[in-house]
Amino acid sequence: MIRSDSGNDNKTATPHHDLSDDELKQIVAEADTGGRKPTGLAAHFLLVAAITWSLFQLWIASPAPFSLGIFILNDTESRAIHLAFAVFLAFAAYPALKSSPRAYVPLLDWGLALAGAFCAGYLYLFYAELSTRPGLPTTMDLVVAVAGLVLLLEAARRALGLPMVILAVVFLIYIFFGQYMPEAIAHRGASLNKGMSHLWLTTEGVFGVALGVSAGFIFLFVLFGALLETAGAGNYFIKSAIALLGHLRGGPAKAAVVASASTGLISGSSIANVVTTGTFTIPLIKRVGYRPDKAAAVEVASSVNGQLMPPVMGAAAFLMVEYVGIPYTQVLKHAILPAVISYIALFYIVHLEAMKADLQGIPRRNPAPWQQTLISTTMTISGLIILAAIVYFGFGWIKDLAGEASFIIVAILMFVAYVGLIAYSARFPELHMEDPKEVMEYLPEVGPTLKSGLHFLLPVAALIWNLMVEQLSPALSAFWATMFLIFILVTQRPLFAFFRKTGHLGAATLHGLQDLTTGLATGARNMIAIGIATATAGIIVGTVTLTGIGLVMTELVEIISGGNLMIMLVMVAVICLILGMGLPTTANYIVVSTLMAPVVVELGAQTGLLVPLIAVHLFVFYFGLMADVTPPVGLASYAAAGIANSDPIRTGLTAFGYSARTAILPFMFIFNTQLLMIGITSFWQLALTVASAIVASMTFAAATQGWFFTRNRWHEALLLMLVTFSLFRPGFWMDMVYPPYEELEGGQLMQLAEQAPNNANLRIWIEGVTIEGREISKGVLLPLGPAADAEGQPLNARARLAFSGLTVMAFGEDLQIMGVNFGSQAARLGIEQGFVVQAVELPVERPAKEWVFVPTVLLLGLIVWLQRRRAAREKAGTPAVRAA
C-alpha cells in the first residue's frame, strides 16, 4: 500500500477530540483510496473496474502474453491503459468537493471518468496512426491532448490536493509563456502544437519514464502489500512488536517504531501506517506516560520513516533504477543502512524520552528472569541467522545444482513449508486486534503471538529469493511473489479450519476468495493516486526536457551560493523541502530528482564533490520526504493528532524535531559514501562502518534530546555533536593531515582504467564546451564495471570505458572523448563528445581514516563517565552537580 497521502488542506482531522474508527478510516480513504463508497450497481462496477486493473497489471507482468502470443503490449500502450484505469477510478472514487456525495457517483463524474479514460487511452487506441505522424499532430490529437491534460489536473486535484496541481500549472505557464519570464529564466516559449505533442503524444512528458515505472513495477509491489495486509500480516507485525517490546521503558512507543518499520515493508503509505499502527499504539504510548503530542509524534516519525525503508521506499526505489541507471538490488543495498540507522536513532529517542520522564512499560503476565529472556532472545536471533544461512546457502546450492529446475524445486519446498507452518500456527489462538480504548493490563504472550503468523514471512522470502538468487527483474519477482501470496490468501483460512478441526471448509474457502477480491480491489484503489502522481509529475519532467529549466536552476543556485559547497547543499535541501510540501512520495521524488539532483551533480563536480549518482538522488529524496512531517501540510500529523487528542501543529513540530536525525544523514552520506555500502572492501570495514554509524546516530539523538545518562550540560551536548560528526565523517579530520588524492595526467586514463580493481570508480577531471556553448571544467566519478568478462578474461581499457558509455582517443598528450552512448552512465554524468580528460585523481597511500575513531571513542567514554558519575550523585540526592 504505497502512500498517496496528499497535502489537501480540506482533508484534515479536527484537533482536540478523539477520532472515531469511522473518521480514521475516512481519512485514510480520502488520502489513499478515495473517500467515496457508493452502493448498489455503482459499487459493483467500481469493484469490477479495480479488480480488472489488478488483473491487467498481473497479465502484462507475467510471461503469459509472450508464451501464448496474446495481447502483447509495448511500453507506450501499457502506460496508456494504466493511466486510463487510474483517471477513470480517480473521478469515480474521489469526490470533487468536500460537500460532494459519498454514497453515489454523480452523472457528471461518470462523464468525466469516461472522457479522461478515453484521452489517457488515446495513445493505445490510435498508436499506429500516431506513430506515422510524430511531431505533426492533427486537430483531433490536440483536442484530446488539451482535454486530457485538463482532466489529469482535475484528477490530481481530487486525489493529491492543490499543491501538486499548482506546481504543474506553474510549469505549464513556463512552457507557453517563457518569453515573458524574467531574463534569468526566460526562453523562447513553445507553441500549442509543440507543447501538447511533447507532453501528451510522446513519451517525454505525461507518458514518460515515471508513468512507465508506475505501470511496470510499482503497481505489483503495491498489490503485493495490499494482499499481504488483507491476509493479516499488518496485525501480526503490530501485535508481535507489542509482545516483544511492550515491557521495556516506554515500551509501547518502542513497539510503535518497530511495528511501523515492519509494516513499512508492506505499506508505503504514511497516513495508512499512522492509522493502522497508531490506532493501537498511540493510546498505549499515552497510557505509560508520554505527553499526547509526543505519543502522536513518535508514530508520525516512525510511519513517515517507512518511506525510506527498502524494498518499496514509497515507490522511489523503482524510479531510482531508471533515473540512476543501476539495478534494483543495488538501490536496496545503498538505501538499507541509512534507513536502519534512522529507525535505531528514533528508537533511542523514544528511550531517552522515557528516561527523562522515568516512564515504565506494560508488565508481562508471567515475567521471566532476565537470564531466561537473554537466552531466549539469543536463541531466537541465532535461529533467524541459521535460517537465513540455510535459505541463502542451501537454496543457493539448489540453484547451482538444479539450474533452471531450481525454481520448481524451491516452489515445492515453499509449498511444503507453508502447509507445515499453517499446521504449526494452528496450535495457537487466532490473532485479533483488541479495542485500543480498552486498558491493556498485561502484554500478549510472546511465544504464541510470534508463532501464530510465521507463514506471512514466506511471500517476503519468495520475493527476496526471486530478486537475489534467481536474479529476476523486479516486475517478474513481484509477480511470482504475488501469485504465491494469492495462493496463501485463498487457502490459509480453509487450512486453518482443517488443522483446527473447526469444520466449515466451504465457508472458509468462500471467505478466502472474498479476501482475494478485497485485496485485488484495495491494491488497485491504492494505486489511483500513484498513477495520477507519476503522470502529473511527468508534466514537470517534460518541461525540463523541453525548456532547459534544469540548467537555469543550476545557474541560480550557483550564483546565490557563491560556489560554496555547504551553502549549495543547504540551499538544495531547503528547496527540496519546499518542493516536497504537499506532494506524495512518488511525485515528490520525481520533482526533486528532476530539478535538484542535476544541481548537486553539476555544482558538486565543479568544487570537487564527486559522489555516485545514487548518493545525490538519495540526498534530494530524503529532504523532499522531510516535508511530509512539517506542518501545515503533514496529513500524517493530523491523523495522529486526532488519535492522540493533541494539537496537530504541535504534533507536527514535535515530529519534525524527532526527524532531525534523518535530516543529518544525507549530509553525512554525501561526504562518506561508505554509509551507502559504497567502497567497502572487507567484512571488518563493513562491521566498523555499521557500528560507528549506529553509535553516531545515538549520540546525535542524545545531543539533540538534551539527555544521555542524565540531563546534558551545554558543553556535553557540543562534545556529543563532535563525536557524531567524527564517527559519521572520519575522513574530514584525516584529510587535514594527509591529502586524499594525487593528480596524474589525463593521458594516463587508459592505463589506469585497465589496472583498476573490479567495479572501481575513477575520479577524472574534464573540460570542454557543451552543446549549449558553455565552457565546462569539472570532475566526475566514472564507473568502470567488472575487471573481467563472464569467462574470467581480463578486460582492456577500452572495454572498461565502454561500460560507462565512453569512447576516447589520444591527441598528443591529451585524451579526447570521441563518443558518449545515449542514456549511459557517462551521459548521466554530463560528459559530452569533444571534452578533454585533463587529469585523473588516485587515492594516496595513507593511514585508514577509521583511526579517527580511537580518540573519538575515548572522548565518548569520557562523556559517559562524567554523566554516569553525575547521575549516581543525583540518584543519591547530592545536588552539587545537578544540571539546570
Side-chain angles (χ1 to χ4, degrees), residues 337-466:
L337 183 56
V340 170
I341 290 170
S342 190
Y343 263 115
I344 289 174
L346 180 59
F347 191 91
Y348 190 55
I349 287 172
V350 167
H351 176 73
L352 293 175
E353 290 283 9
M355 292 292 291
K356 283 192 283 187
D358 194 25
L359 305 179
Q360 303 302 318
I362 299 174
R364 297 193 188 281
R365 188 177 299 276
N366 300 305
W370 68 269
Q371 296 95 333
Q372 182 179 339
T373 303
L374 179 62
I375 292 172
S376 176
T377 303
T378 304
M379 290 181 67
T380 302
I381 294 173
S382 302
L384 290 173
I385 293 173
I386 292 170
L387 180 62
I390 291 172
V391 170
Y392 185 79
F393 294 107
F395 281 16
W397 174 76
I398 293 173
K399 174 72 173 175
D400 295 336
L401 186 66
E404 296 296 325
S406 65
F407 189 85
I408 298 174
I409 295 172
V410 170
I412 295 171
L413 291 175
M414 292 289 280
F415 171 76
V416 173
Y418 165 62
V419 176
L421 287 174
I422 289 285
Y424 181 67
S425 298
R427 303 177 186 176
F428 305 97
E430 188 175 354
L431 208 60
H432 293 289
M433 295 297 287
E434 290 87 355
D435 185 348
K437 296 176 183 177
E438 294 181 2
V439 176
M440 181 183 287
E441 296 183 2
Y442 298 101
L443 292 175
E445 294 294 331
V446 175
T449 302
L450 292 179
K451 295 169 185 175
S452 64
L454 290 173
H455 62 290
F456 291 131
L457 302 178
L458 289 177
V460 180
L463 179 63
I464 295 171
W465 163 265
N466 289 332

Side-chain angles (χ1 to χ4, degrees), residues 839-858:
V840 182
E841 290 184 342
L842 286 183
V844 299
E845 291 288 336
R846 64 174 188 172
K849 62 183 180 181
E850 285 79 10
W851 283 109
V852 172
F853 293 162
V854 174
T856 303
V857 170
L858 292 175

Side-chain angles (χ1 to χ4, degrees), residues 21 70 87 94 171 181 275 324 340 369 455 482 544 633 655 682 794 848:
D21 290 343
I70 301 172
V87 172
Y94 287 86
F171 278 85
M181 297 293 165
V275 173
V324 181
V340 170
H455 62 290
T482 302
V544 172
V633 294
S682 68

Side-chain angles (χ1 to χ4, degrees), residues 613-650:
L613 275 176
I614 184 65
V616 176
H617 279 256
L618 284 172
F619 180 91
V620 298
F621 173 58
Y622 266 57
F623 279 106
L625 198 59
M626 284 293 291
D628 271 5
V629 297
T630 54
V633 294
L635 186 59
S637 296
Y638 282 92
I643 300 171
N645 193 21
S646 65
D647 179 74
I649 301 298
R650 188 176 184 183

Side-chain angles (χ1 to χ4, degrees), residues 511-751:
H511 199 162
L513 292 172
Q514 289 173 345
D515 286 344
L516 175 59
T517 58
T518 300
L520 290 173
T522 302
R525 292 191 67 157
N526 286 341
M527 264 305 298
I528 298 171
I530 297 295
I532 298 297
T534 51
T536 309
I539 296 173
I540 289 95
V541 177
T543 304
V544 172
T545 58
L546 184 62
T547 65
I549 183 64
L551 180 62
V552 174
M553 293 288 292
T554 302
E555 292 174 346
L556 284 176
V557 173
E558 183 179 15
I559 292 169
I560 297 172
S561 66
N564 184 284
L565 182 59
M566 283 308 300
I567 294 177
M568 181 268 291
L569 288 175
V570 171
M571 278 190 63
V572 170
V574 172
I575 293 172
C576 288
L577 271 172
I578 295 170
L579 289 173
M581 284 189 177
L583 301 188
T585 304
T586 314
N588 179 336
Y589 170 67
I590 297 169
V591 172
V592 297
S593 63
T594 303
L595 294 176
M596 303 315 300
V599 175
V600 180
V601 171
E602 284 299 315
L603 298 185
Q606 294 173 26
T607 56
L609 176 66
L610 309 184
V611 293
L613 275 176
I614 184 65
V616 176
H617 279 256
L618 284 172
F619 180 91
V620 298
F621 173 58
Y622 266 57
F623 279 106
L625 198 59
M626 284 293 291
D628 271 5
V629 297
T630 54
V633 294
L635 186 59
S637 296
Y638 282 92
I643 300 171
N645 193 21
S646 65
D647 179 74
I649 301 298
R650 188 176 184 183
T651 298
L653 292 173
T654 307
F656 189 79
Y658 288 165
S659 299
R661 91 272 177 216
T662 304
I664 68 161
L665 278 173
F667 286 100
M668 295 300 107
F669 63 60
I670 274 283
F671 292 103
N672 180 15
T673 53
Q674 283 185 350
L675 295 174
L676 301 178
M677 305 287 195
I678 296 173
I680 294 177
T681 56
S682 68
F683 171 79
W684 295 110
Q685 191 178 26
L686 172 64
L688 198 56
T689 299
V690 173
S692 62
I694 290 173
V695 174
S697 67
M698 295 172 72
T699 55
F700 179 79
T704 53
Q705 293 303 304
W707 189 281
F708 197 16
F709 290 90
T710 184
R711 192 171 301 280
N712 296 334
R713 291 175 173 172
W714 68 269
H715 63 274
E716 290 172 338
L718 290 178
L719 289 175
L720 285 170
M721 294 296 284
L722 178 62
V723 168
T724 300
F725 180 80
S726 301
L727 290 174
F728 269 139
R729 197 185 166 194
F732 177 82
W733 306 110
M734 190 60 72
D735 291 350
M736 290 184 173
V737 182
Y738 298 95
Y741 301 102
E742 62 175 330
E743 189 174 293
L744 303 177
E745 292 291 333
Q748 299 188 44
L749 173 63
M750 300 292 286
Q751 178 185 350

